[in-house]
Amino acid sequence: IQGTIRPHAIIILPNTSGMELLLTYEDEGIYIDIYGHFTKETVLQWGEMPASVAYLQSNQVMGWGEKAIELRSVVTGNLEGVFMHKKAQKLKFLCERNDK
């Protein structure tokens, strides 16, 4: 990537004893270990550039974009749900509260 990179979140992957991470930035995410080595060839690819990204206790990652909220599996990066919305907002924080 050339130029400025916009990071979103560093997520510790479940069942890895804190040794593997999902780094989300721009419109994608990569899987690495704590030494910086790739652990999966899979790249998490958002449908649109998220303004905010948050980890959910259900082992999902949620990305808030201009037109939709995407839910993806933290482990595989697969799309698990999309919620379309009309009002684009810039969120300072995106988080889970009371399992919602």
Side-chain angles (χ1 to χ4, degrees), residues 25-98:
Y25 59 93
E26 299 296 329
D27 64 346
E28 62 186 26
I30 57 171
Y31 296 88
I32 64 168
D33 63 18
I34 60 171
Y35 305 106
H37 301 112
F38 289 99
T39 59
K40 295 182 184 182
E41 291 185 23
T42 305
V43 174
L44 184 149
Q45 188 70 50
W46 297 104
E48 65 176 327
M49 178 77 76
S52 302
V53 172
Y55 173 72
L56 306 178
Q57 291 178 359
S58 58
N59 288 332
Q60 294 175 314
V61 63
M62 176 172 50
W64 178 284
E66 189 173 320
K67 297 178 183 173
I69 300 169
E70 294 181 35
L71 294 174
R72 294 188 171 271
S73 166
V74 167
V75 177
T76 64
N78 292 337
L79 182 65
E80 295 186 343
V82 176
F83 301 95
M84 302 304 290
H85 60 83
K86 293 180 181 179
K87 189 175 183 181
Q89 296 178 347
K90 178 78 173 174
L91 302 177
K92 187 170 185 178
F93 298 103
L94 180 63
C95 61
E96 178 181 32
R97 182 174 174 171
N98 298 329

Side-chain angles (χ1 to χ4, degrees), residues 2-22:
Q2 295 178 354
T4 304
I5 297 174
R6 190 172 80 186
H8 296 296
I10 300 172
I11 299 163
I12 299 170
L13 296 176
N15 304 319
T16 64
S17 301
M19 298 293 287
E20 294 182 23
L21 310 167
L22 170 61

